[in-house]
Amino acid sequence: MFLYYKETEAVTAENGIDLSSYSGDADWDKVKAAGVSFAMVRLGGRGYGSEGALYADDRAAEYMQGAQAAGIKTGGYFFSQATTPEEAREEAAYCKQLLGELTPDYPIAYDWEFIKDDEARTAGMTVAQTTACARAFFDEIKSYGWTPMLYAGEAEMTAKYDMAQLGDCEIWYTEYAAAPVFPYTINMWQYANTGVIDGIEGNVDLDIRFIYHT
């Protein structure tokens, strides 16, 4: 089920999951007993089309509350299709609205991905544009006292972001493999998308969180 990191005095690790409403019902006490230490919950997203309407994950609050009550640390992510910094700030503010009185233990991640549809509103965005959007989201999240995080694979990080401008933010790297090959420091690694966890009805993504001790 889980991959494990060989811990040292300098780096320890926690096993976790990320999920959305597609994962179905969750018994969080069983999830905790299965060895899950944290859960990253999809808060919502923005549509692909020209309108780019914001939408909420209708189980986000339920998942966050249930996980926290069971002693599982929680963070969140937002599926962005922002094309301007203003839209990215709007997305961050929407995350705050969706969380309400809930306080995340873990970061809030910006999840901007390549969309294969030629009519996607983000088609043709430059590195400068995508980086400016991520930077705006991160700065807004920081203003709430939360930790920002970039969710991306190698393709996005090498082709769509100027990482020099995002160096103060945590990285959640996605690569479905036995070990990550990305050559830079990462804070979280998503290594599978078909995880089966006792207590959760559907599949979830599996993650490892690296904790660096200085």
Side-chain angles (χ1 to χ4, degrees):
M1 181 174 63
F2 293 122
L3 294 180
Y4 290 91
Y5 179 76
K6 186 176 181 180
E7 298 182 329
T8 67
E9 292 184 1
V11 185
T12 56
E14 294 179 341
N15 288 106
I17 59 174
D18 63 272
L19 74 168
S20 70
S21 57
Y22 296 111
S23 299
D25 293 336
D27 181 327
W28 289 102
D29 289 326
K30 288 184 178 180
V31 175
K32 174 73 171 177
V36 172
S37 296
F38 69 89
M40 298 291 285
V41 176
R42 185 183 71 164
L43 303 178
R46 186 186 290 275
Y48 298 166
S50 59
E51 181 181 352
L54 299 177
Y55 60 87
D57 187 305
D58 58 9
R59 303 195 77 159
E62 171 195 338
Y63 286 161
M64 295 278 285
Q65 290 168 343
Q68 290 182 355
I72 296 173
K73 299 172 186 174
T74 59
Y77 68 95
F78 189 87
F79 181 78
S80 173
Q81 284 290 281
T83 59
T84 65
E86 291 74 21
E87 286 189 343
R89 283 190 287 271
E90 179 187 32
E91 292 173 352
Y94 192 50
C95 289
K96 185 171 183 6
Q97 176 186 329
L98 293 172
L99 285 171
E101 298 300 316
L102 292 169
T103 301
D105 310 291
Y106 263 33
I108 301 298
Y110 182 76
D111 174 11
W112 186 100
E113 302 177 21
F114 286 117
I115 304 300
K116 295 180 181 179
D117 186 346
D118 289 340
E119 297 180 0
R121 69 196 314 270
T122 52
M125 286 181 65
T126 66
V127 170
Q129 289 172 319
T130 52
T131 302
C133 288
R135 183 73 263 170
F137 183 93
F138 296 155
D139 289 345
E140 190 71 16
I141 289 296
K142 280 186 172 183
S143 75
Y144 307 144
W146 301 339
T147 301
M149 175 177 267
L150 175 66
Y151 171 90
E154 184 178 12
E156 287 89 357
M157 281 195 277
T158 56
K160 281 297 182 182
Y161 290 118
D162 178 357
M163 295 303 296
Q165 297 187 44
L166 307 176
D168 58 327
C169 300
E170 295 196 7
I171 293 176
W172 180 7
Y173 178 66
T174 176
E175 180 186 359
Y176 302 146
V181 298
F182 194 64
Y184 302 103
T185 299
I186 60 177
N187 304 91
M188 193 182 294
W189 172 38
Q190 181 190 78
Y191 59 86
N193 64 350
T194 56
V196 177
I197 300 292
D198 187 33
I200 297 182
E201 181 182 13
N203 288 346
V204 296
D205 300 333
L206 301 179
D207 304 273
I208 294 178
R209 166 81 159 168
F210 302 106
I211 303 165
Y212 298 95
H213 307 277
T214 56

